[in-house]
Amino acid sequence: MVKKREIGDKSEKKKSRWGWIFGAILVVLLATAVASSRSINKISLFNHQHNQACNCADSRKYTGIVEDCCCDYETVDSLNDEVLNPLLQELVTIPFFRYFKVKLWCDCPFWPDDGMCRLRDCSVCECEENEFPEIFKKPGRISSQDLVCQEGKPQATVDRTLDRKAFRGWVEIDNPWTSDDETDNAEMTYVNLQLNPERYTGYTGPSARRIWDAIYTENCPRYPSGEFCKEKKVLYKLISGLHSSISIHIAADYLLDEAANVWGQNFQLMYDRVLQYPDRVRNLYFTYLFVLRAVTKAADYLEQAEYITGNPTEDLKTKSLMKQLLYNPKLQAACPIPFDEAKLWQGQSGPELKQQIQKQFRNISALMDCVGCEKCRLWGKLQVLGLGTALKILFSVDGQDHVDQHLQLQRNEVIALGNLLNRLSESVKLVRQMGPSAEKIMEGQVFAHADHTSTWRRIWTSLSKLRWESDKQIM
């Protein structure tokens, strides 16, 4: 009987010790979880509130020559900060570059209509009849009860407000690199880009992924190193760089609180979509230099172009800004040829390869009609046209010295080219401004996770020690 009672007492003591141990562990775990959560939230809140004041201009994560280009990262950053970005930011606000002619309704040639946007003017209120010139007017109107798309996101709709100033048209010829019929004015409308900034619209999920999947898998497959020729590699990098730029602008102007309509910077989104993949950042720089090369190559043509909007003061300012951009001495001295297009399309297969890639890019252009968000479609069409215009300038003149004698650009192409260069310039700037903060936030979360894991290890070690001592005492 004594032995049974001793065994029972030992068992009760053992249960009591384990109950106390597990209770202590539970308290420690709860405290650790709360502390970790507060730490992460504090980091995110601090960066959200104070990032604007943080000067991260000295961050040099990317150095050396930009791959396949003739300029290094340090020079690009310096020129962009000192010269290009300030000029471009001012240029795109000028009336000439403010209005873009575009087809905004859905007419997807690749898959059946999925109900995302069935109507030509869905969810957009048209301007009053007397608000814009006769030549801008469209036949027919859409009733308000039919405005039923954009996935229920009001921020995805386009503001079509125009001023009263008309501007003279240029030549209207189709771009061989893009799919839209630019001569079909009855099917197009003018949009004020300043009233429709590129930012978050709520367009996510399968519909958005299907667009990019089609672009990459059908037209621009990912390549293992050295597998494809350099021309196809250039096409991939251009699309990747454009994709990165779009993601950066979404993250930089994000709807943080839909109920309170609070907009700001989403550092985690920028890290998740761009910064954690160095190739995507490199491709952004490549695309920027590629488009910059197209602009500088067409300098003679762009200098002599008619930037007429009916506002003489603004038109003179446009010409002045264009000259400053095209003939900037710092740019000419530091990076005279950002990209060397003469290295492409060499050999007997060159012309055939150019036609093949031109067809692929036209397919990418046509895919913009499948985008189920009106504002995304607007900026997708504009930037793809801008990229198609850069391809047209670099590869449709056969490398002649006097490009202005052979090149013909329509007004819409110049508008798209200027706005695309500004978008890429802004993305490069945002990478330097937001990048360090975004990476610190992610490092903080990783540290908090590692600290949490370390706490678990310490608890488990203590638990094992207590169990050993408890068993030893009971024994």
Side-chain angles (χ1 to χ4, degrees):
M1 290 294 293
V2 174
K3 289 183 178 180
K4 287 184 179 180
R5 187 174 298 142
E6 288 176 353
I7 293 172
D9 291 342
K10 289 180 179 180
S11 177
E12 289 299 322
K13 288 180 180 180
K14 190 173 183 179
K15 288 180 180 179
S16 177
R17 283 181 185 276
W18 277 108
W20 179 84
I21 290 170
F22 280 115
I25 290 172
L26 182 60
V27 171
V28 172
L29 288 177
L30 287 172
T32 303
V34 171
S36 298
S37 175
R38 285 178 178 173
S39 175
I40 293 171
N41 288 336
K42 185 176 180 181
I43 292 170
S44 300
L45 182 61
F46 176 84
N47 281 279
H48 173 64
Q49 291 178 339
H50 299 286
N51 180 68
Q52 298 282 348
C54 174
N55 183 7
C56 305
D58 293 331
S59 175
R60 294 292 182 190
K61 185 172 182 179
Y62 297 91
T63 60
I65 297 294
V66 179
E67 185 185 20
D68 297 324
C69 292
C70 309
C71 201
D72 58 60
Y73 289 97
E74 294 87 348
T75 300
V76 174
D77 289 334
S78 176
L79 287 172
N80 192 52
D81 289 343
E82 296 176 18
V83 178
L84 297 173
N85 191 258
L87 276 173
L88 291 165
Q89 286 284 287
E90 188 174 4
L91 188 70
V92 296
T93 65
I94 301 297
F96 181 87
F97 284 93
R98 191 185 304 164
Y99 297 107
F100 181 61
K101 185 175 68 172
V102 61
K103 295 179 183 178
L104 280 178
W105 57 94
C106 301
D107 186 19
C108 180
F110 297 106
W111 50 73
D113 174 29
D114 56 7
M116 209 58 68
C117 182
R118 297 188 299 269
L119 302 173
R120 176 172 300 181
D121 293 306
C122 59
S123 195
V124 175
C125 297
E126 294 188 4
C127 304
E128 296 295 329
E129 291 293 334
N130 61 355
E131 189 173 347
F132 52 92
E134 284 289 332
I135 60 171
F136 293 168
K137 293 182 180 179
K138 296 183 303 177
R141 300 180 65 82
I142 303 298
S143 65
S144 59
Q145 64 182 2
D146 290 331
L147 308 180
V148 288
C149 73
Q150 309 313 325
E151 296 183 316
K153 302 288 184 180
Q155 60 268 21
T157 62
V158 167
D159 184 334
R160 289 202 179 97
T161 304
L162 296 168
D163 64 16
R164 300 171 185 270
K165 298 181 179 67
F167 46 93
R168 185 182 304 173
W170 290 14
V171 296
E172 291 188 337
I173 54 175
D174 287 333
N175 187 326
W177 292 84
T178 57
S179 65
D180 274 345
D181 181 4
E182 302 294 345
T183 64
D184 194 357
N185 288 309
E187 299 294 325
M188 307 185 86
T189 185
Y190 280 91
V191 173
N192 186 332
L193 298 173
Q194 292 297 300
L195 298 180
N196 298 280
E198 183 187 23
R199 60 181 184 176
Y200 171 80
T201 64
Y203 182 56
T204 58
S207 178
R209 284 197 300 271
R210 180 167 59 174
I211 300 294
W212 287 111
D213 286 346
I215 288 173
Y216 284 115
T217 60
E218 296 178 20
N219 299 281
C220 192
R222 299 180 185 275
Y223 62 95
S225 179
E227 180 178 337
F228 288 151
C229 63
K230 53 189 174 184
E231 288 82 1
K232 291 187 177 181
K233 183 179 177 182
V234 164
L235 178 60
Y236 171 80
K237 292 174 73 171
L238 289 175
I239 297 303
S240 173
L242 178 59
H243 193 180
S244 296
S245 180
I246 292 171
S247 297
I248 288 168
H249 285 285
I250 291 172
D253 200 357
Y254 195 85
L255 185 59
L256 300 173
D257 187 336
E258 189 166 1
N261 195 33
V262 175
W263 294 78
Q265 297 176 329
N266 188 327
F267 294 99
Q268 181 158 354
L269 182 69
M270 185 173 181
Y271 182 86
D272 290 344
R273 292 192 181 182
V274 180
L275 295 178
Q276 69 170 319
Y277 305 100
D279 283 351
R280 297 182 183 180
V281 177
R282 296 188 187 104
N283 292 339
L284 167 65
Y285 276 81
F286 172 84
T287 306
Y288 183 33
L289 290 175
F290 184 94
V291 176
L292 181 61
R293 167 56 181 160
V295 170
T296 57
K297 183 177 181 179
D300 291 344
Y301 186 97
L302 294 173
E303 179 192 7
Q304 298 167 16
E306 289 187 333
Y307 300 100
I308 299 176
T309 66
N311 186 328
T313 302
E314 294 293 327
D315 296 342
L316 285 174
K317 187 177 180 180
T318 306
K319 291 188 73 71
S320 174
L321 289 172
M322 285 299 295
K323 286 183 179 180
Q324 292 177 53
L325 173 65
L326 297 170
Y327 302 110
N328 186 273
K330 289 185 178 180
L331 175 60
Q332 292 180 332
C335 192
I337 303 179
F339 173 81
D340 186 4
E341 70 280 1
K343 295 179 180 179
L344 303 181
W345 321 114
Q346 300 297 314
Q348 294 181 347
S349 61
E352 181 181 352
L353 182 60
K354 183 188 291 187
Q355 289 184 354
Q356 178 188 348
I357 293 181
Q358 195 175 79
K359 181 179 179 182
Q360 288 177 312
F361 194 82
R362 276 202 303 269
N363 286 342
I364 293 172
S365 173
L367 275 164
M368 294 301 102
D369 283 324
C370 302
V371 176
C373 156
E374 191 176 51
K375 198 168 286 183
C376 306
R377 196 179 320 127
L378 164 65
W379 282 101
K381 280 177 168 284
L382 180 143
Q383 293 181 90
V384 168
L385 176 60
L387 204 51
T389 303
L391 289 163
K392 175 181 175 179
I393 291 170
L394 294 182
F395 302 131
S396 298
V397 188
D398 298 326
Q400 297 296 324
D401 292 333
H402 302 290
V403 64
D404 58 297
Q405 296 180 4
H406 306 273
L407 181 67
Q408 279 190 308
L409 296 177
Q410 56 171 307
R411 180 184 60 211
N412 223 36
E413 290 175 330
V414 175
I415 294 169
L417 184 66
N419 276 279
L420 171 62
L421 187 63
N422 177 61
R423 294 284 82 200
L424 294 169
S425 169
E426 191 69 8
S427 294
V428 167
K429 181 180 177 181
L430 287 167
V431 163
R432 296 191 62 210
Q433 287 184 340
M434 291 179 63
S437 296
E439 290 177 352
K440 283 180 181 178
I441 290 173
M442 299 311 297
E443 287 171 3
Q445 292 183 2
V446 170
F447 174 79
H449 175 73
D451 188 58
H452 184 68
T453 303
S454 178
T455 301
W456 267 101
R457 288 199 185 100
R458 290 196 300 270
I459 291 171
W460 182 253
T461 302
S462 300
L463 175 63
S464 300
K465 185 177 180 180
L466 286 170
R467 180 182 177 183
W468 181 82
E469 291 177 351
S470 175
D471 290 344
K472 184 178 179 182
Q473 291 175 11
I474 294 172
M475 293 292 290

